[in-house]
Amino acid sequence: MLEGILSVVAASLLFGMKPTSDKYVMLSGVAPVCITFYGQLILTVLALALTRLRRECLKIERSAALYLIFLGAIGMGVTSFLISSAMECISVGLATILHFLYPTIVSIAMVTLFHQKLTKFKLIAIVCSIGGMLLITNISGDAKISATGVFLALASSLTYSFYMIANDKGKVNELSLLVKLVYSGFGSALLFGILSAAQGEIRLPGTWRAGLVMLLVSGIGNLGAFYFITAGIRRIGASAASFVNMLEPITSVVVSTVIYQDHQGLKTICGMALILSSVLLVAMDGRKGISGESRIC
């Protein structure tokens, strides 16, 4: 249990650095769709190189390969595209809240589709996670609202929920983590490569520093993030992993504070505390194996 939690924590830390690095690369003249393409391409190439070094066989059944390509395109690629598009229509805070409904969606799906037990601890964790996101994003009454933006953000939470559940309950979960990343990363890189080319957005970063940041964070960091999240899901399941992965927005806030000297108020601090509480509750739920009396359905 602890090893799985630590894997997801590592993924959250890496994922949390990505928004700040992507912003830096974007300011150098690279479009978001192209940043995603480069990130997924680097991920795929590195994962392929590592499988070669470890002499892992990449030959799998055609159905499994197509499944992983589709999973990567939807869960890794489309999710990123949807949340980026949503932030162009609505405030970043509202888009973030709607996207991070995915732990709740995953929990509900695991209960209804796979008959997983919903415990009191998990229910309280859901409430704490939603409350924490409301505080940490500091949504005001005059927040920009757009039906299209709301739809896109909600869709991103659904596609990422699909990615989490498919990695837990899919038919290819016995494959090596690196092999899975080669195929899923290829699916995402292929999709965004086509989108970038169609939009005429394929270009290199404007400075060598931006290129280095893209290589280290959007590329190598991206590989580490997806490797650890996949490993974590395999060990503790999609539902628990989705809650632990809520450390990602906390990391984003901390990195933004350090890099851009953003001031964080009491609401943000309280929100971070609630999110940490939800993660702790899920960890306690899994570690103690909550008794039958604590189950509510």
Side-chain angles (χ1 to χ4, degrees):
M1 180 69 183
L2 179 59
E3 187 177 355
I5 290 175
L6 291 177
S7 291
V8 182
V9 169
S12 301
L13 294 176
L14 292 170
F15 277 132
M17 297 177 189
K18 198 170 182 299
T20 302
S21 69
D22 284 355
K23 179 180 178 180
Y24 184 78
V25 177
M26 200 182 308
L27 291 174
S28 76
V30 184
V33 67
C34 188
I35 293 174
T36 303
F37 164 61
Y38 282 133
Q40 298 303 325
L41 180 63
I42 295 170
L43 178 152
T44 305
V45 171
L46 290 176
L48 179 61
L50 288 173
T51 58
R52 296 293 86 191
L53 286 174
R54 297 177 61 171
R55 297 182 179 179
E56 294 185 11
C57 181
L58 283 171
K59 187 177 181 180
I60 61 177
E61 294 182 2
R62 180 178 299 179
S63 60
L66 292 175
Y67 176 85
L68 285 171
I69 290 172
F70 176 76
L71 177 62
I74 300 299
M76 297 163 68
V78 173
T79 297
S80 178
F81 176 77
L82 288 172
I83 191 63
S84 297
S85 300
M87 289 179 181
E88 294 179 355
C89 302
I90 57 178
S91 67
V92 174
L94 180 57
T96 303
I97 286 176
L98 295 174
H99 173 68
F100 275 93
L101 287 175
Y102 76 80
T104 302
I105 295 173
V106 169
S107 294
I108 293 173
M110 297 301 283
V111 169
T112 56
L113 299 178
F114 301 101
H115 310 293
Q116 187 179 84
K117 299 299 181 180
L118 179 62
T119 65
K120 291 180 180 179
F121 275 26
K122 187 68 67 63
L123 183 60
I124 296 172
I126 290 174
V127 174
C128 287
S129 66
I130 295 175
M133 289 306 303
L134 285 169
L135 291 174
I136 200 173
T137 51
N138 197 25
I139 293 295
S140 60
D142 58 350
K144 182 181 177 184
I145 301 295
S146 162
T148 300
V150 169
F151 172 79
L152 291 171
L154 287 174
S156 76
S157 69
L158 290 173
T159 56
Y160 199 61
S161 296
F162 164 73
Y163 179 79
M164 299 286 283
I165 295 170
N167 268 293
D168 187 7
K169 300 297 183 180
K171 299 178 181 180
V172 294
N173 292 325
E174 297 304 316
L175 294 175
S176 157
L177 296 178
L178 287 173
V179 171
K180 289 175 67 175
L181 285 177
V182 169
Y183 284 97
S184 58
F186 172 74
S188 183
L190 178 64
L191 173 63
F192 274 78
I194 293 173
L195 288 174
S196 298
Q199 297 176 16
E201 295 288 1
I202 296 183
R203 57 177 56 88
L204 294 173
T207 67
W208 70 267
R209 289 186 179 85
L212 183 62
V213 168
M214 186 175 69
L215 174 64
L216 294 177
V217 182
S218 299
I220 298 175
N222 201 35
L223 171 65
F226 278 107
Y227 181 88
F228 284 124
I229 192 67
T230 306
I233 293 171
R234 177 173 288 183
R235 291 184 173 92
I236 64 177
S239 184
S242 64
F243 278 98
V244 178
N245 197 42
M246 290 197 73
L247 292 173
E248 177 185 338
I250 293 180
T251 303
S252 296
V253 170
V254 173
V255 172
S256 178
T257 300
V258 173
I259 300 297
Y260 297 109
Q261 303 299 309
D262 293 339
H263 174 71
Q264 308 302 336
L266 181 60
K267 278 188 177 181
T268 301
I269 295 173
C270 290
M272 293 168 69
L274 280 175
I275 292 174
L276 289 172
S277 297
S278 71
V279 173
L280 179 61
L281 286 166
V282 170
M284 291 173 61
D285 183 38
R287 187 175 180 82
K288 294 184 177 180
I290 303 300
S291 63
E293 289 77 8
S294 296
R295 294 172 179 171
I296 60 177
C297 68

